[in-house]
Amino acid sequence: ALGFAPLRIADFQEVLGEPTVALTKLRELCFSGIPFDGGLRCLCWKILLNYLPLEKALWSSLLKKQRDLYSQFLKEMIIQPGIAKANLGVSREDVTLEDHPLNPNPDSRWNTYFKDNEVLLQIDKDVRRLYPDMAFFQRPTDYPCLLILDPQNEFETLRRRVEQTTLKSQTVARNRSGVTNVSSPLKSTPSSLSEYEVLPNGCEAHWEVVERILFIYAKLNPGIAYVQGMNEIVGPLYYTFATDPNSEWKEHAEADTFFCFTNLMSEIRDNFIKSLDDSQCGITYKMEKVYSTLKEKDVELYLKLQEQNIKPQFFAFRWLTLLLSQEFLLPDVIRIWDSLFADDKRFDFLLLVCCAMLTLIRDQLLEGDFTLNMRLLQDYPISDVHLILKKAKELQDSK
């Protein structure tokens, strides 16, 4: 399955070469996996996630408009509050105005600032851990955000905000040898200092870009804000766009990821909202659907899981909410997403993929006890995603 036949690449180029992209045809092609070559995957994902319209003539103006809008978000949500904060250090007279840090008024800008810091620290903790087995997210981006990294800047960046907020919450404990040990209540044991190693000025790591995307998303969507796991959804999108072989697109990976992530979240955000758990669109309903589909396809396995009281929320919650991003290596996740994004009844196919994952290990599950089976489902043993997708397609065709 390595590399795509030139013929297949030609098929994609033909569909994408038309003045108006034929969506049905494009979906069919993408469903079987999109070549990375020539930035095809990045382009297809942008179309499948409704970021780019089907009329090619509209692309360049739309991209310009959206990327400008994103710059606007950066200025309003990261630069403005940062300037306000930096200015406070310079002139103290504005403290006498009604808007000062101790103002109990809930509309106070400061109140918002501190609330945002709580969200920011959570995002920060999560994005630093993105795909630890890959160096990519720790590496500096070729296109650091100039708006933010301009050395003339006096304002507070997200990085500085995190550092200051973390420092405040750090407690200094002396250990026996009298060496001062700075431990943070947020991290009981610092796994390694390198985790907090910050790149030299003027550089920023890919995880910092992801942090910004999530922070801006949280600010613009206060109803859902940030929920742990969103970092796992934005990671593969950003990785795909930030490694686009086409440099003029790659340069705008941050803005493009933001809008594609926003569109994708509008389809799956219900999975992240607790109050919707039991509604038709909520996650509980989807988890039960995995079991009812399994019951149709393999009643023996279904009964075995029921009998062992293995509930779908023990494993399917993570599978469904995070679109399997935690179960496989990143390149495999990306391949699965080709099929998920190409599915016109989006995420119906995901239920079938989950079912396929269960039926592919049915013999082990039928033999195992509760503990053994839970281990299998929490740490899924098959890494061949082609096999899984093939099985899911069979299940789909056997309806």
Side-chain angles (χ1 to χ4, degrees):
L2 288 175
F4 277 80
L7 269 173
R8 219 172 125 52
I9 292 176
D11 289 342
F12 274 91
Q13 284 167 338
E14 188 185 338
V15 172
L16 293 166
E18 295 292 321
T20 301
V21 177
L23 189 57
T24 316
K25 242 193 216 156
L26 184 70
R27 280 205 165 115
E28 262 167 44
L29 282 175
C30 294
F31 187 78
S32 321
I34 310 170
F36 175 72
D37 313 66
L40 285 173
R41 174 176 279 131
C42 307
L43 181 54
C44 291
W45 277 18
K46 287 174 180 137
I47 298 170
L48 295 174
L49 291 171
N50 306 315
Y51 178 43
L52 286 178
L54 299 175
E55 295 78 30
K56 261 174 81 172
L58 302 174
W59 287 0
S60 59
S61 62
L62 176 116
L63 287 170
K64 182 172 175 356
K65 190 176 121 240
Q66 297 301 88
R67 289 160 179 176
D68 289 348
L69 177 62
Y70 187 74
S71 290
Q72 210 38 51
F73 293 156
L74 286 177
K75 287 177 188 150
E76 283 168 28
M77 285 163 230
I78 292 172
I79 295 177
Q80 287 319 116
I83 288 175
K85 183 91 193 286
N87 288 348
L88 272 184
V90 188
S91 67
R92 300 304 300 172
E93 65 264 19
D94 55 353
V95 172
T96 52
L97 300 174
E98 65 279 15
D99 197 17
H100 62 88
L102 299 176
N103 183 351
N105 174 357
D107 302 331
S108 152
R109 277 212 318 253
W110 280 105
N111 205 351
T112 317
Y113 181 85
F114 294 129
K115 271 215 178 64
D116 288 348
N117 280 357
E118 290 166 34
V119 175
L120 180 58
L121 283 184
Q122 181 60 56
I123 294 174
D124 191 72
K125 228 164 50 190
D126 294 345
V127 291
R128 286 174 189 270
R129 296 195 290 241
L130 268 177
Y131 294 97
D133 47 340
M134 283 177 58
F136 173 80
F137 286 96
Q138 306 303 324
R139 288 209 186 108
T141 161
D142 300 337
Y143 303 101
C145 178
L146 299 175
L147 264 177
I148 285 175
L149 293 185
D150 172 6
Q152 300 301 305
N153 267 341
E154 277 305 306
F155 76 84
E156 182 189 45
T157 57
L158 286 189
R159 180 197 287 185
R160 228 173 291 162
R161 233 171 123 159
V162 169
E163 282 165 10
Q164 289 178 351
T165 314
T166 326
L167 275 173
K168 286 197 187 87
S169 63
Q170 278 181 340
T171 48
V172 175
R174 284 190 171 274
N175 65 13
R176 276 188 220 115
S177 59
V179 181
T180 306
N181 164 29
V182 176
S183 72
S184 154
L186 291 171
K187 291 187 83 63
S188 44
T189 50
S191 47
S192 69
L193 282 173
S194 70
E195 197 182 345
Y196 278 86
E197 220 173 90
V198 170
L199 293 165
N201 275 339
C203 294
E204 57 177 353
H206 288 294
W207 66 261
E208 294 186 72
V209 182
V210 176
E211 175 166 85
R212 223 176 8 245
I213 293 170
L214 288 166
F215 183 70
I216 290 177
Y217 179 82
K219 290 281 289 170
L220 287 171
N221 296 276
I224 180 170
Y226 172 74
V227 181
Q228 206 168 7
M230 288 182 186
N231 53 319
E232 309 295 350
I233 301 285
V234 83
L237 287 176
Y238 175 73
Y239 175 81
T240 300
F241 296 164
T243 54
D244 191 328
N246 181 341
S247 62
E248 64 184 276
W249 289 69
K250 183 177 173 177
E251 188 177 337
H252 297 285
E254 179 177 350
D256 293 348
T257 301
F258 172 81
F259 291 108
C260 287
F261 171 69
T262 300
N263 291 356
L264 179 55
M265 279 305 297
S266 69
E267 299 182 24
I268 61 170
R269 58 182 284 171
D270 298 348
N271 295 350
F272 287 90
I273 299 177
K274 289 267 188 303
S275 59
L276 286 174
D277 279 0
D278 299 316
S279 65
Q280 281 287 294
C281 50
I283 188 74
T284 309
Y285 172 75
K286 288 177 187 144
M287 289 190 292
E288 279 161 9
K289 196 110 165 62
V290 170
Y291 266 26
S292 58
T293 312
L294 180 67
K295 191 176 173 183
E296 270 168 48
K297 308 286 183 188
D298 189 338
V299 74
E300 188 188 357
L301 180 55
Y302 167 77
L303 290 171
K304 176 76 178 183
L305 295 175
Q306 287 289 61
E307 173 202 322
Q308 291 189 352
N309 203 14
I310 292 181
K311 299 188 178 338
Q313 47 269 43
F314 297 161
F315 60 93
F317 178 79
R318 188 175 72 190
W319 291 6
L320 294 166
T321 306
L322 303 182
L323 307 180
L324 296 168
S325 61
Q326 288 285 280
E327 313 316 310
F328 303 99
L329 295 171
L330 186 58
D332 297 323
V333 171
I334 288 171
R335 168 60 194 93
I336 292 173
W337 285 16
D338 287 345
S339 296
L340 295 184
F341 296 165
D343 174 21
D344 59 345
K345 295 193 239 346
R346 190 101 90 221
F347 310 119
D348 271 11
F349 187 66
L350 177 59
L351 300 174
L352 292 167
V353 174
C354 294
C355 248
M357 286 168 69
L358 295 171
T359 54
L360 284 170
I361 55 169
R362 74 184 302 268
D363 298 350
Q364 288 155 278
L365 290 170
L366 290 171
E367 276 167 35
D369 59 4
F370 176 86
T371 315
L372 213 70
N373 287 345
M374 278 302 296
R375 199 171 305 146
L376 279 173
L377 295 168
Q378 291 282 334
D379 189 5
Y380 190 73
I382 300 176
S383 58
D384 181 353
V385 297
H386 294 280
L387 181 69
I388 295 167
L389 291 168
K390 194 169 151 242
K391 182 73 185 165
K393 184 84 182 91
E394 282 165 21
L395 293 175
Q396 189 180 45
D397 296 340
S398 72
K399 274 188 174 169

Short mmCIF file of all heavy atoms in Angstrom, two decimals, residues 139-145 199 202-206 209 212 238 242 250:
data_model
loop_
_atom_site.label_atom_id
_atom_site.label_comp_id
_atom_site.label_asym_id
_atom_site.label_seq_id
_atom_site.Cartn_x
_atom_site.Cartn_y
_atom_site.Cartn_z
N ARG A 139 9.24 20.36 17.07
CA ARG A 139 10.15 21.06 16.16
C ARG A 139 9.65 22.46 15.84
O ARG A 139 8.46 22.72 15.87
CB ARG A 139 10.23 20.29 14.83
CG ARG A 139 10.99 19.00 14.94
CD ARG A 139 11.64 18.67 13.60
NE ARG A 139 12.26 17.36 13.69
CZ ARG A 139 11.79 16.27 13.08
NH1 ARG A 139 10.71 16.36 12.33
NH2 ARG A 139 12.40 15.13 13.21
N PRO A 140 10.59 23.35 15.47
CA PRO A 140 10.15 24.71 15.12
C PRO A 140 9.46 24.72 13.76
O PRO A 140 9.84 23.97 12.86
CB PRO A 140 11.45 25.50 15.07
CG PRO A 140 12.55 24.51 14.89
CD PRO A 140 12.06 23.21 15.46
N THR A 141 8.45 25.55 13.63
CA THR A 141 7.79 25.69 12.34
C THR A 141 8.64 26.59 11.44
O THR A 141 9.36 27.48 11.92
CB THR A 141 6.37 26.29 12.50
OG1 THR A 141 5.96 26.81 11.23
CG2 THR A 141 6.33 27.41 13.52
N ASP A 142 8.55 26.37 10.13
CA ASP A 142 9.27 27.22 9.17
C ASP A 142 8.60 28.58 9.04
O ASP A 142 9.15 29.50 8.46
CB ASP A 142 9.25 26.58 7.76
CG ASP A 142 9.92 25.22 7.76
OD1 ASP A 142 10.74 24.98 8.67
OD2 ASP A 142 9.62 24.39 6.87
N TYR A 143 7.35 28.65 9.51
CA TYR A 143 6.60 29.90 9.33
C TYR A 143 6.09 30.42 10.66
O TYR A 143 4.89 30.42 10.91
CB TYR A 143 5.42 29.67 8.39
CG TYR A 143 5.84 29.14 7.04
CD1 TYR A 143 5.72 27.79 6.74
CD2 TYR A 143 6.37 29.99 6.08
CE1 TYR A 143 6.12 27.30 5.50
CE2 TYR A 143 6.77 29.52 4.84
CZ TYR A 143 6.64 28.16 4.56
OH TYR A 143 7.04 27.69 3.34
N PRO A 144 7.01 30.83 11.56
CA PRO A 144 6.52 31.34 12.84
C PRO A 144 5.63 32.55 12.61
O PRO A 144 5.81 33.28 11.64
CB PRO A 144 7.80 31.72 13.59
CG PRO A 144 8.86 31.83 12.56
CD PRO A 144 8.46 30.93 11.44
N CYS A 145 4.67 32.73 13.49
CA CYS A 145 3.70 33.82 13.32
C CYS A 145 4.39 35.16 13.58
O CYS A 145 4.70 35.50 14.71
CB CYS A 145 2.55 33.62 14.28
SG CYS A 145 1.36 34.93 14.16
N LEU A 199 11.83 27.02 22.78
CA LEU A 199 12.76 27.32 21.69
C LEU A 199 13.25 28.76 21.82
O LEU A 199 12.59 29.59 22.44
CB LEU A 199 12.02 27.16 20.36
CG LEU A 199 11.60 25.73 20.03
CD1 LEU A 199 10.59 25.72 18.90
CD2 LEU A 199 12.80 24.90 19.63
N GLY A 202 11.99 34.11 18.67
CA GLY A 202 11.84 34.18 17.23
C GLY A 202 11.46 32.84 16.61
O GLY A 202 11.13 32.76 15.44
N CYS A 203 11.54 31.78 17.40
CA CYS A 203 11.10 30.46 16.90
C CYS A 203 9.85 30.06 17.66
O CYS A 203 9.66 30.47 18.80
CB CYS A 203 12.12 29.38 17.23
SG CYS A 203 13.66 29.58 16.37
N GLU A 204 9.04 29.23 17.04
CA GLU A 204 7.99 28.59 17.83
C GLU A 204 7.78 27.18 17.34
O GLU A 204 7.89 26.88 16.16
CB GLU A 204 6.69 29.40 17.82
CG GLU A 204 6.11 29.68 16.48
CD GLU A 204 4.78 30.44 16.58
OE1 GLU A 204 4.28 30.62 17.70
OE2 GLU A 204 4.27 30.84 15.53
N ALA A 205 7.49 26.31 18.30
CA ALA A 205 7.29 24.90 17.97
C ALA A 205 5.89 24.70 17.42
O ALA A 205 4.99 25.51 17.65
CB ALA A 205 7.47 24.05 19.23
N HIS A 206 5.71 23.60 16.68
CA HIS A 206 4.39 23.32 16.12
C HIS A 206 3.31 23.20 17.19
O HIS A 206 2.18 23.60 16.98
CB HIS A 206 4.45 22.04 15.28
CG HIS A 206 5.18 22.21 13.98
ND1 HIS A 206 4.72 23.01 12.97
CD2 HIS A 206 6.34 21.69 13.53
CE1 HIS A 206 5.55 22.97 11.94
NE2 HIS A 206 6.56 22.18 12.26
N VAL A 209 1.67 26.45 17.93
CA VAL A 209 0.70 26.88 16.92
C VAL A 209 -0.65 26.22 17.23
O VAL A 209 -1.70 26.86 17.23
CB VAL A 209 1.17 26.51 15.50
CG1 VAL A 209 0.17 27.00 14.47
CG2 VAL A 209 2.56 27.08 15.22
N ARG A 212 -2.41 27.90 20.03
CA ARG A 212 -3.07 29.14 19.63
C ARG A 212 -4.41 28.86 18.96
O ARG A 212 -5.40 29.51 19.22
CB ARG A 212 -2.15 29.89 18.67
CG ARG A 212 -2.08 31.34 18.95
CD ARG A 212 -1.16 32.15 18.12
NE ARG A 212 -0.51 31.56 16.99
CZ ARG A 212 0.81 31.38 16.89
NH1 ARG A 212 1.60 31.72 17.87
NH2 ARG A 212 1.33 30.87 15.80
N TYR A 238 -3.64 19.67 11.65
CA TYR A 238 -2.52 20.61 11.56
C TYR A 238 -1.30 19.92 10.96
O TYR A 238 -0.61 20.47 10.10
CB TYR A 238 -2.18 21.21 12.93
CG TYR A 238 -0.96 22.09 12.87
CD1 TYR A 238 -1.01 23.34 12.26
CD2 TYR A 238 0.27 21.65 13.37
CE1 TYR A 238 0.12 24.14 12.16
CE2 TYR A 238 1.41 22.44 13.27
CZ TYR A 238 1.33 23.68 12.66
OH TYR A 238 2.46 24.45 12.55
N ALA A 242 0.52 21.32 7.76
CA ALA A 242 1.84 21.90 8.01
C ALA A 242 2.94 21.12 7.30
O ALA A 242 4.10 21.54 7.28
CB ALA A 242 2.12 21.97 9.50
N LYS A 250 1.34 25.65 2.75
CA LYS A 250 1.94 25.26 4.02
C LYS A 250 2.11 26.46 4.93
O LYS A 250 1.93 26.39 6.14
CB LYS A 250 3.30 24.63 3.71
CG LYS A 250 4.07 24.09 4.89
CD LYS A 250 5.33 23.46 4.35
CE LYS A 250 6.29 23.03 5.39
NZ LYS A 250 7.46 22.36 4.76
#
